[in-house]
């Protein structure tokens, strides 16, 4: 859990917030890509791509750690 927080802290604030919203880390209610796109003034497809890119970065970090 500590490592996840550490990796999240390294993400850009916008992308971190998008991931938190998508998976409900802030309030327990996952948001749709449409809602996230509206919040950040982008299409849901662009929101999806950004979130996926950042998730892959997080996964890569944990693969390097051997977790």
């Amino acid at each position: 859990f500590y490592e996840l927080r550490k990796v999240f802290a390294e993400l850009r604030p916008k992308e971190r917030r998008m991931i938190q919203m998508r998976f409900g880390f802030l309030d327990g209610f996952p948001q749709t890509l449409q809602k996230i796109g509206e919040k950040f003034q982008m299409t849901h497809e662009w929101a999806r791509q950004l979130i996926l890119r950042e998730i892959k970065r997080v996964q890569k970090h944990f693969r390097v750690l051997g977790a």
Side-chain angles (χ1 to χ4, degrees):
F1 188 71
Y2 171 76
E3 283 296 323
L4 184 58
R5 280 188 184 197
K6 186 175 167 184
V7 172
F8 258 65
E10 294 173 8
L11 297 177
R12 292 178 214 99
K14 180 179 177 180
E15 284 80 0
R16 178 174 53 240
R17 181 77 169 177
M18 291 172 73
I19 291 173
Q20 290 170 331
M21 290 174 66
R22 181 65 176 146
F23 296 102
F25 293 158
L26 298 173
D27 60 7
F29 297 100
Q31 300 297 311
T32 65
L33 292 170
Q34 186 67 37
K35 291 273 187 191
I36 295 169
E38 290 171 5
K39 168 101 173 140
F40 292 97
Q41 300 177 342
M42 62 179 67
T43 66
H44 74 278
E45 178 59 23
W46 184 237
R48 183 191 70 78
Q49 289 178 24
L50 287 175
I51 291 169
L52 182 61
R53 182 183 71 198
E54 297 306 314
I55 289 172
K56 286 181 180 181
R57 285 181 60 198
V58 170
Q59 288 174 334
K60 182 180 174 183
H61 175 82
F62 281 100
R63 271 190 233 117
V64 168
L65 291 177

